[in-house]
Amino acid sequence: PLTHSPTHPLTHSPTDPDRRPSIPQYINGILASKMTDGCTVMSSSNNYISVGNAGTTYSASNAINRGFVADLQLWKIARTQNQIRESIWSHPDGKNPDLVGYYPNNNLNDESVSGNNLANGGSASRNMKFNRQNEMYRTKSFDLYGTISAMSVTSGVCNTQSITFTQSTTRLNDAMMIGFAPDGECSNQARLFRATLTSSATQNVNFAGGALGTYKLCYSQDAGVTWVQQTPQYTLAEDMTTSVVTVPTQIATTTHQVNIASKMGGADHEITCDQKFVCTYSNGLSGTVDAVKVGTNLYRCTKSITTKGTAYSVAVQINGQHVSGSPVNNFVVNPGPTLASQTAIDAVWDDNLVAGATRVFNIVAKDQFGNVRTSNTDTVVLTVHHKTDGSVTDLVVNPVGNHATLPGTYTASFTRTVTGAYDITVTMNGNAVPGSPSTLTVTPAVLNAAKCTVSGETTADTAGTGNLIDLISRDQYENLRTAGSDTFKAHFTPLTTGSAFETTSTHLSGQTYRFSTTINVAQSYTLKITDNGGVNHVTGSPFTLVVSPGPTTAGQSSLTGGNSVIAGVDIDYTIQARDANNNLQNGHSDTFVITTAHNTAAGVNAPYTLTNNAGQGSYRLRVTPTVAGPYTIAVTFGGNPISGSSITLTCSPAATTVSKTVVYSGELLHNRAGRNGVVFVQARDNFENNRTVTGDTVTLQLVHRTIGSTTVNANVVGDGSAPGRYIATYNATVAGAYDATLQIGGVSVPDSPYFVSITHNVAIPGNSFHDGYVPLTQEAGTTTAALGHIQPIDRYGNNVTAQTFDCSLHVPGTTTKYLTKANFVNFPRSTISESFWSRTSAASGVLGISFSGGATGANRFVAANAKRINVCIQNTCQQKSTDSNFDDNKWHFITIQWRNNDGQMQVYDGHTLIFSPTLAQGQQIGASGDLVLGQEQDCKGGCFVAGEALNGFIDDVSLWSKFRTLNEIKSAMFTPLTLTDTDLVAFYSFDECSGTTIQDHVGSNHLTSVGGNNLVASCAFDFIQQPTSWAHRPNFPFPQTKWTISMWAYKQGGQTPISYGTANNANEMIFFYNNNQWTIFIRGQGVPTGIAMPANTWQFLTVTWNSVGGVLKLFTDGTERYSGTGIQSGQSFEQGGTVVLGQEQDSLGGDFTPNQGWLGRVAQVSMWNTDLPISDIKSIMHKQLSGDEPNLMFYFPLDECAGNMAYDASPNRFDFGYEQPKWGAGPTISASGAQRYSVTSDNTMATTPSTAISKAPLGASTVSAMRTTIARTYTLSLLDKGNNDAAVPNSPYVITTNPTSVNAGESTVSGAGL
């Protein structure tokens, strides 16, 4: 779009393509066009640049430029419009990294750093020109067509020249360079102007502003390369010397004025030519200044004169000539207005200042150029402000000026007594002077002891902890002295004991000093704190310092007191609390930890109280032990024992308290006639401590309840193995109920008198009698009445009313073993009482019977839960809220009874009522149902749950239809029941000891055993549940030359049921089962027998040995299985060793090897000091011994069933201790004596002897009726099978059977004659 412009013949026109894509074109900085198509990236950097021509070679057709090209610039960036505008009149920097080509056109060289020089490709004249003159910048390139034909200048005075140009018409508007210059000075530096050429035009040019002088016209047609000077000259001249100069008095300023009124010939006249007024300064000033027109006919020289003065000069000239009044001498420049920023302080005014001292300084007022003011009219304010202490009042001072002596100067002074940093502000006319505000530090004045203060332990201290007193050093104004150069002394004078001492302070930091000393003796001191001279006291001195004991330490504190006391009696100990320096405490604030633990009774601690004594730091520890034995009295402080701690205090039992005495023995409840009953009486004091000395008067007397004349007095002796325990031994031979009165010092012990049941002993063969009538004659064919009973009698004349063994029912806690009676007849409905013996260790499970009538009547009558008994009547239940403790694995005689009229329920443990709720009042128990022992029925006759099964033993179950009295309950515990009592519904003694039918001794409600024979005669040592347990008797007098050992044994595994060892021979005697045979060790010699023992079954095992001949025999179940001779013949067993059941000894009483123990059970263990014959072995196999059999060393019926002792039933009392005890069920023994008697006669008796005798309910045997049909004499013998078939007394009987009356049918006729 570029077109020829008559007003802008040279046009600035950049083109800047970029990749937007667009090619914008600007004209004189204004966007003229933008092409947006065909813009791509150049394919190569190796291309041609051509100026004035299209293509790489010149041709006329390609010469597209007919004009001027100047200032060609090539950039590698697209510049912004602002950048383009700025480059129009500026010369680019050739070193710009974005400029890749720059050609000013005065030559062909590239003036950028790229070096892309051009080559001249044509004949055009390329001349380049830069002109910078009179703010004109032009660069022109001429390719001129035509010539200047004429040029003339119209004469004039310094204003307009007319120049005429003759130009051909073929190239109009081409420019040429024209200007004026002094003669010979035509060049590019001449005063130039530009003319627009037209054909034969006259151009008027303004030549104003030139200096006076002579000039010639110059022109150039080749862009300033060649200049032509015209001949005519022109002169500029004006006379302005009559102009008048004036210099008014002024203040120092940067615009000091010299005024010039322009005149020519005395008349006002403006300068028209190129001339000017020039001011030249002197006398302290220098330099020239051109005057500037400031108004009509008014010019002014302005110069910076900032220093005041009174003798300055200035000359004003024009064209080298002074104007009127020039020079002006001694003109005055006064100080300007006071400027605070130039004001000065003539002394050090902000240096440190000692408190109480006065600071004086001058403030010199100056103008902005630092000229001191010559008057004192300024307002000066001095403010002193404490920077950190707001309580310090600011000091405001108005310094006073003295114009007469010190013009412009003000004197300030101030005094500060408070130390610290201050802001000092000096303002001049409201503005701060230089250096203001400044910080001034006021330092302390000299030390003043009376103003010094102390803190810390001046009145109170703790011994041994280090006395620390901090002193604050101050001056008289109480300012803190921080230099650290002061010295102080502290003087301690003890008021009680010891010598005075002194210490000197040490500097800590700043104003703080410290006295540090350690005072170990607790007392009062006079403390004087002074300065170093020892005269001037600090504030508060002298002090009274009380040094208290330090913290209590265990090492210095002490415990003192005795080491023995009687139970229940106070014993006092003294605890003294002292610090590390042995100072006794003066208070009672310490916490001592007291331990009064019993040394052997776990968890027992003696009660104590800890009180303050009257003395300082002393405590009274009062200990009142009640449990006898050794205690450790220990006192600790801070976890450490104090001195003297751990006193062993021995507490002895107090005097015997009868009410606390413990009596224990099963034989104080029941015993057998003729058997020694042993009662242990443990005397105790009021705190239930076992007495450790004897000396009490202990008596035990048994009085027969029905035969009052029968009295048994026990023999009471002290138990040598347990001091304070007494052994009362009695022997009652008459069976029956006794009242046993046990007294100490004439006072009955608790529960005395005891009810003791003495039962018969075992029947003695040949000691039976027949109480019936046996007819001496009878008619043939008649049947006699029953011939009476054969009553066995023990050796003391007591009728034997029980079988050989007293068996009980054992249920192992499973649902497969129990006793049942379907459709029980006449079960009590409105009143019921049940009694039974029970032993269990299980907390849950049924107790006694359960009676169920169907799904809805499952719990018509049942009791369960040994831990806390729960009783149900018709599905209504009540449970005891506290423990009933029937689960202690001991025998309990339990009675449960209920009546419907008032719902009263009672549960007794023995003769103690433990539970009495109201239950099911007005209801009746269902009329029919099943009775089960050992299981709880959840439906009639079944629906058993394992957790509800009995896991233990039950015996002597009786069921009543009456609500019994306490005496009736007591009587039933050990006295045989009266089976004809109409209120007794059923009674089960379980003394069958075998079979699956359990007899109801009252009626027909017999029980059937389910799951096998569940009856056991005794308990057993159970080495299966606890393989590491053992029973033992040390110091045993083992028979030396002959002996018998019998036991019931049950083997699951293991090797040794019994062993006897001595210190010299651990294998003195062993029953050893190994390699599937019994090996018997006799004095260390093992004798294999080849006899095996079946597993998991009870077997009666007997071994005999006799030194004579060394005869060793082994019997199993009464049958001799092995016999050997010559085994340790003539040897004697060593006595004093240990008998062990369940383990094999590798040393005396110990060193057990686990796999050599007995994994099984043993029961009914007995030892004899003779070798029993086989007949005796068979006899003892199926009966319970009386204990007084000849040659019996020990006998363990094991009816304890609980605890860690097994009691010997023989008079020898070789009781065994049971370690880690576990008890199990003993063997189920078939009592062969259940049918004890038989009848024999001659072989013509019509009756069958085997059916002639029947068992009576409680031991006696009934002799049946007898019928004979053959008339003759018979012999009837009643034989005692337990006595080798010896005849019962009065037997045999001789019976004569006579013919009966004549019977024709039976009569016969004989005779040859018939």
Side-chain angles (χ1 to χ4, degrees):
L2 285 178
T3 59
H4 180 72
S5 172
T7 58
H8 298 91
L10 192 61
T11 300
H12 182 269
S13 177
T15 301
D16 283 345
D18 62 10
R19 295 185 60 194
R20 282 185 287 266
S22 64
I23 303 178
Q25 187 172 38
Y26 298 87
I27 297 178
N28 295 328
I30 299 174
L31 181 64
S33 68
K34 179 183 293 186
M35 181 175 69
T36 59
D37 57 338
C39 300
T40 59
V41 180
M42 291 183 182
S43 62
S44 173
S45 63
N46 188 17
N47 290 306
Y48 283 92
I49 274 287
S50 180
V51 180
N53 181 68
T56 59
T57 59
Y58 177 79
S59 66
S61 61
N62 291 335
I64 60 174
N65 187 61
R66 291 294 183 270
F68 307 96
V69 176
D71 255 358
L72 176 61
Q73 303 172 23
L74 297 179
W75 299 79
K76 63 179 181 181
I77 60 171
R79 294 174 294 162
T80 64
Q81 186 174 18
N82 286 336
Q83 289 174 327
I84 290 171
R85 287 178 176 176
E86 292 173 356
S87 69
I88 294 176
W89 304 108
S90 65
H91 179 56
D93 182 3
K95 296 180 179 180
N96 191 314
D98 294 323
L99 185 65
V100 297
Y102 174 46
Y103 309 95
N105 282 348
N106 58 347
N107 54 45
L108 300 178
N109 294 330
D110 178 10
E111 295 190 8
S112 75
V113 296
S114 299
N116 293 312
N117 298 330
L118 298 176
N120 191 353
S123 60
S125 175
R126 292 172 176 80
N127 297 305
M128 312 299 283
K129 182 66 177 178
F130 284 92
N131 288 318
R132 284 185 173 275
Q133 184 68 23
N134 291 335
E135 299 180 358
M136 178 187 295
Y137 169 68
R138 292 289 185 266
T139 301
K140 296 185 178 179
S141 179
F142 286 88
D143 191 358
L144 190 63
Y145 290 82
T147 61
I148 299 176
S149 59
M151 178 180 293
S152 61
V153 178
T154 303
S155 72
V157 180
C158 300
N159 44 28
T160 303
Q161 295 79 37
S162 296
I163 304 173
T164 302
F165 299 92
T166 300
Q167 173 76 12
S168 67
T169 59
T170 58
R171 293 288 293 177
L172 298 180
N173 296 323
D174 286 337
M176 66 187 320
M177 298 180 65
I178 303 171
F180 290 95
D183 189 14
E185 296 184 11
C186 285
S187 70
N188 288 345
Q189 301 304 318
R191 185 180 296 277
L192 302 175
F193 64 90
R194 187 182 64 187
T196 301
L197 301 181
T198 59
S199 178
S200 302
T202 299
Q203 181 70 39
N204 295 322
V205 181
N206 183 5
F207 193 57
L212 296 179
T214 302
Y215 294 88
K216 287 191 177 184
L217 176 65
C218 304
Y219 68 92
S220 173
Q221 296 185 90
D222 57 5
V225 176
T226 304
W227 284 91
V228 178
Q229 178 176 299
Q230 298 288 4
T231 301
Q233 293 187 355
Y234 304 93
T235 302
L236 294 176
E238 286 180 302
D239 184 6
M240 302 295 290
T241 58
T242 59
S243 299
V244 178
V245 59
T246 59
V247 181
T249 299
Q250 301 171 60
I251 62 173
T253 179
T254 57
T255 57
H256 186 274
Q257 298 175 356
V258 174
N259 295 320
I260 306 167
S262 62
K263 296 179 182 291
M264 189 171 62
D268 293 338
H269 181 73
E270 296 287 355
I271 297 177
T272 59
C273 293
D274 190 9
Q275 56 185 343
K276 56 188 176 183
F277 295 107
V278 178
C279 297
T280 301
Y281 296 86
S282 61
N283 290 340
L285 299 175
S286 63
T288 61
V289 175
D290 294 341
V292 177
K293 182 176 174 63
V294 295
T296 304
N297 302 319
L298 180 60
Y299 294 81
R300 180 174 294 158
C301 289
T302 302
K303 180 175 177 60
S304 174
I305 304 176
T306 58
T307 303
K308 70 177 181 177
T310 57
Y312 293 122
S313 298
V314 62
V316 180
Q317 296 176 317
I318 187 171
N319 292 326
Q321 299 179 357
H322 288 275
V323 301
S324 177
S326 174
V328 179
N329 296 315
N330 298 319
F331 68 86
V332 176
V333 175
N334 292 320
T338 299
L339 184 65
S341 62
Q342 292 295 329
T343 298
I345 298 177
D346 68 349
V348 178
W349 63 299
D350 56 357
D351 198 2
N352 290 351
L353 180 66
V354 176
T358 301
R359 173 60 49 83
V360 179
F361 59 91
N362 291 325
I363 303 166
V364 181
K366 295 184 179 181
D367 65 8
Q368 64 174 323
F369 304 108
N371 299 303
V372 177
R373 293 278 294 158
T374 56
S375 65
N376 296 90
T377 59
D378 299 300
T379 300
V380 183
V381 177
L382 167 65
T383 302
V384 183
H385 170 72
H386 202 288
K387 295 184 70 171
T388 59
D389 191 350
S391 64
V392 179
T393 305
D394 290 347
L395 176 67
V396 180
V397 179
N398 295 112
V400 178
N402 189 344
H403 181 68
T405 57
L406 295 171
T409 300
Y410 302 82
T411 300
S413 65
F414 65 88
T415 302
R416 294 278 82 184
T417 59
V418 178
T419 58
Y422 287 82
D423 283 331
I424 305 176
T425 303
V426 176
T427 60
M428 181 70 71
N429 300 324
N431 297 310
V433 302
S436 176
S438 182
T439 299
L440 169 81
T441 300
V442 176
T443 59
V446 297
L447 173 67
N448 189 309
K451 299 295 184 179
C452 296
T453 58
V454 292
S455 62
E457 295 157 325
T458 58
T459 59
D461 187 18
T462 301
T465 60
N467 179 274
L468 298 179
I469 300 173
D470 288 340
L471 183 147
I472 304 301
S473 179
R474 288 185 168 89
D475 62 12
Q476 62 176 323
Y477 305 108
E478 299 187 0
N479 294 305
L480 302 176
R481 287 179 50 78
T482 58
S485 59
D486 299 327
T487 303
F488 302 90
K489 290 185 177 180
H491 187 83
F492 299 84
T493 302
L495 299 183
T496 304
T497 182
S499 302
F501 57 94
E502 188 175 77
T503 183
T504 302
S505 64
T506 58
H507 181 242
L508 283 185
S509 63
Q511 68 277 0
T512 305
Y513 296 79
R514 174 167 289 176
F515 296 102
S516 178
T517 187
T518 299
I519 305 174
N520 293 326
V521 180
Q523 62 175 316
S524 295
Y525 296 81
T526 297
L527 170 60
K528 299 177 182 179
I529 301 178
T530 64
D531 59 14
N532 194 38
V535 177
N536 301 313
H537 287 256
V538 301
T539 301
S541 178
F543 304 93
T544 297
L545 171 63
V546 177
V547 177
S548 301
T552 298
T553 61
Q556 295 297 329
S557 299
S558 61
L559 171 70
T560 57
N563 55 15
S564 63
V565 70
I566 302 298
V569 178
D570 297 336
I571 182 171
D572 288 345
Y573 294 87
T574 298
I575 299 175
Q576 287 193 331
R578 295 180 180 270
D579 65 8
N581 294 289
N582 207 33
N583 293 304
L584 186 64
Q585 291 292 350
N586 53 17
H588 298 91
S589 60
D590 293 313
T591 301
F592 290 94
V593 177
I594 312 298
T595 302
T596 59
H598 199 287
N599 293 352
T600 58
V604 174
N605 296 282
Y608 69 88
T609 58
L610 185 65
T611 58
N612 300 336
N613 280 354
Q616 294 290 326
S618 293
Y619 300 81
R620 183 191 69 192
L621 173 61
R622 174 163 290 176
V623 181
T624 311
T626 56
V627 178
Y631 290 80
T632 296
I633 309 301
V635 180
T636 61
F637 182 80
N640 298 310
I642 67 174
S643 176
S645 182
S646 296
I647 295 176
T648 298
L649 171 65
T650 300
C651 176
S652 301
T656 299
T657 299
V658 176
S659 62
K660 301 296 183 179
T661 295
V662 175
V663 180
Y664 51 96
S665 171
E667 292 160 2
L668 196 56
L669 297 175
H670 71 283
N671 198 5
R672 290 184 180 180
R675 176 181 177 182
N676 283 339
V678 179
V679 178
F680 295 94
V681 181
Q682 179 62 64
R684 289 186 172 182
D685 62 12
N686 189 48
F687 306 101
E688 300 184 357
N689 296 304
N690 292 343
R691 292 274 295 154
T692 56
V693 295
T694 54
D696 299 305
T697 302
V698 180
T699 60
L700 173 62
Q701 185 182 61
L702 286 76
V703 177
H704 202 289
R705 283 189 172 184
T706 57
I707 308 174
S709 60
T710 301
T711 301
V712 179
N713 292 311
N715 178 39
V716 180
V717 296
D719 187 348
S721 63
R725 188 171 72 175
Y726 301 85
I727 300 177
T729 305
Y730 69 89
N731 192 306
T733 58
V734 179
Y738 287 80
D739 287 321
T741 302
L742 179 61
Q743 293 183 331
I744 298 179
V747 179
S748 294
V749 301
D751 297 327
S752 178
Y754 296 91
F755 172 77
V756 180
S757 174
I758 304 297
T759 58
H760 59 80
N761 210 312
V762 296
I764 299 299
N767 214 24
S768 303
F769 70 92
H770 178 225
D771 64 354
Y773 168 75
V774 177
L776 297 179
T777 61
Q778 65 176 14
E779 288 187 356
T782 60
T783 301
T784 66
L787 301 184
H789 298 86
I790 301 174
Q791 176 63 57
I793 301 174
D794 66 10
R795 71 180 61 213
Y796 305 108
N798 299 302
N799 291 343
V800 177
T801 58
Q803 295 302 312
T804 307
F805 286 95
D806 180 13
C807 294
S808 60
L809 172 66
H810 174 247
V811 180
T814 66
T815 59
T816 59
K817 290 181 178 289
Y818 57 94
L819 302 178
T820 181
K821 172 62 176 87
N823 300 316
F824 190 94
V825 179
N826 295 327
F827 193 87
R829 301 188 62 193
S830 57
T831 302
I832 185 172
S833 181
E834 174 193 20
S835 291
F836 54 92
W837 285 93
S838 175
R839 181 174 71 85
T840 180
S841 60
S844 61
V846 69
L847 295 172
I849 67 173
S850 71
F851 182 67
S852 174
T856 59
N859 291 325
R860 287 185 173 177
F861 179 83
V862 67
N865 294 332
K867 186 70 172 177
R868 293 185 177 182
I869 191 167
N870 186 23
V871 183
C872 299
I873 301 292
Q874 287 297 105
N875 295 316
T876 302
C877 303
Q878 280 279 1
Q879 184 168 20
K880 193 173 184 291
S881 60
T882 58
D883 292 349
S884 49
N885 296 320
F886 291 146
D887 58 344
D888 58 0
N889 205 28
K890 296 180 180 179
W891 282 105
H892 292 266
F893 186 70
I894 301 173
T895 300
I896 303 168
Q897 56 185 16
W898 167 82
R899 60 191 178 202
N900 70 346
N901 61 343
D902 58 1
Q904 180 66 50
M905 167 71 70
Q906 290 181 341
V907 178
Y908 284 90
D909 182 5
H911 50 76
T912 302
L913 180 65
I914 66 168
F915 188 39
S916 58
T918 299
L919 180 66
Q921 183 176 1
Q923 296 190 40
Q924 280 194 331
I925 299 174
S928 63
D930 291 359
L931 184 144
V932 173
L933 277 171
Q935 304 289 340
E936 180 183 351
Q937 306 172 69
D938 286 341
C939 64
K940 182 175 181 291
C943 302
F944 305 143
V945 178
E948 297 173 354
L950 171 66
N951 188 356
F953 300 85
I954 188 170
D955 196 8
D956 290 344
V957 178
S958 61
L959 185 63
W960 307 73
S961 61
K962 66 182 293 187
F963 203 85
R964 290 180 294 161
T965 66
L966 177 58
N967 284 334
E968 289 174 321
I969 292 172
K970 286 182 177 181
S971 177
M973 286 179 67
F974 298 109
T975 303
L977 300 178
T978 302
L979 300 181
T980 57
D981 192 324
T982 57
D983 296 315
L984 182 61
V985 177
F987 173 60
Y988 305 98
S989 66
F990 306 110
D991 291 337
E992 293 81 1
C993 295
S994 62
T996 58
T997 299
I998 307 303
Q999 183 179 7
D1000 174 12
H1001 297 301
V1002 176
S1004 60
N1005 290 304
H1006 308 305
L1007 301 176
T1008 300
S1009 178
V1010 178
N1013 183 4
N1014 302 311
L1015 303 179
V1016 295
S1018 64
C1019 291
F1021 292 128
D1022 192 341
F1023 304 114
I1024 299 174
Q1025 295 186 72
Q1026 188 65 45
T1028 59
S1029 63
W1030 76 98
H1032 60 104
R1033 174 70 191 194
N1035 301 318
F1036 183 69
F1038 200 92
Q1040 292 183 293
T1041 59
K1042 53 184 176 181
W1043 49 261
T1044 299
I1045 296 176
S1046 291
M1047 68 178 71
W1048 282 94
Y1050 179 96
K1051 180 180 74 70
Q1052 190 178 84
Q1055 296 179 334
T1056 309
I1058 186 169
S1059 67
Y1060 173 71
T1062 66
N1064 297 319
N1065 187 0
N1067 299 329
E1068 189 81 355
M1069 189 285 301
I1070 308 175
F1071 287 12
F1072 194 73
Y1073 193 84
N1074 190 24
N1075 296 324
N1076 204 31
Q1077 66 172 329
W1078 283 111
T1079 297
I1080 310 301
F1081 281 79
I1082 303 296
R1083 302 225 63 213
Q1085 177 186 350
V1087 181
T1089 66
I1091 305 303
M1093 179 181 180
N1096 301 317
T1097 187
W1098 284 101
Q1099 189 175 65
F1100 190 65
L1101 180 66
T1102 304
V1103 175
T1104 66
W1105 176 81
N1106 195 318
S1107 175
V1108 177
V1111 179
L1112 175 68
K1113 294 184 179 182
L1114 172 68
F1115 301 82
T1116 60
D1117 293 333
T1119 300
E1120 182 179 314
R1121 302 293 302 280
Y1122 170 84
S1123 178
T1125 60
I1127 301 168
Q1128 301 290 12
S1129 297
Q1131 296 289 315
S1132 295
F1133 272 79
E1134 182 180 352
Q1135 294 187 321
T1138 299
V1139 179
V1140 173
L1141 293 173
Q1143 300 290 342
E1144 190 272 331
Q1145 306 172 62
D1146 286 337
S1147 64
L1148 177 61
D1151 283 344
F1152 305 141
T1153 302
N1155 63 353
Q1156 292 182 345
W1158 184 246
L1159 190 63
R1161 298 173 184 169
V1162 294
Q1164 301 291 318
V1165 183
S1166 64
M1167 186 176 189
W1168 312 73
N1169 60 8
T1170 188
D1171 51 342
L1172 294 177
I1174 189 170
S1175 58
D1176 287 349
I1177 293 173
K1178 288 182 177 181
S1179 175
I1180 66 174
M1181 176 178 172
H1182 290 293
K1183 73 177 182 180
Q1184 196 166 18
L1185 303 179
S1186 64
D1188 56 0
E1189 286 81 358
N1191 301 314
L1192 183 64
M1193 290 288 292
F1194 62 66
Y1195 169 56
F1196 294 100
L1198 300 184
D1199 51 6
E1200 299 86 356
C1201 296
N1204 57 6
M1205 289 295 294
Y1207 294 106
D1208 177 13
S1210 78
N1212 301 317
R1213 306 305 302 196
F1214 293 130
D1215 301 335
F1216 273 35
Y1218 192 12
E1219 308 299 331
Q1220 305 178 30
K1222 283 292 183 182
W1223 294 81
T1228 299
I1229 302 172
S1230 174
S1232 62
Q1235 185 86 12
R1236 296 178 60 86
Y1237 303 96
S1238 65
V1239 177
T1240 61
S1241 65
D1242 57 33
N1243 56 12
T1244 59
M1245 184 172 286
T1247 58
T1248 302
S1250 62
T1251 61
I1253 305 297
S1254 63
K1255 174 180 175 293
L1258 294 176
S1261 298
T1262 301
V1263 182
S1264 302
M1266 182 178 64
R1267 179 175 180 269
T1268 59
T1269 59
I1270 300 174
R1272 58 163 292 173
T1273 299
Y1274 295 88
T1275 300
L1276 175 64
S1277 298
L1278 303 180
L1279 305 180
D1280 187 345
K1281 297 184 69 65
N1283 190 21
N1284 298 317
D1285 290 333
V1288 172
N1290 299 325
S1291 172
Y1293 298 96
V1294 178
I1295 302 173
T1296 300
T1297 300
N1298 296 316
T1300 186
S1301 59
V1302 175
N1303 185 317
E1306 296 294 332
S1307 300
T1308 61
V1309 178
S1310 66
L1314 192 63

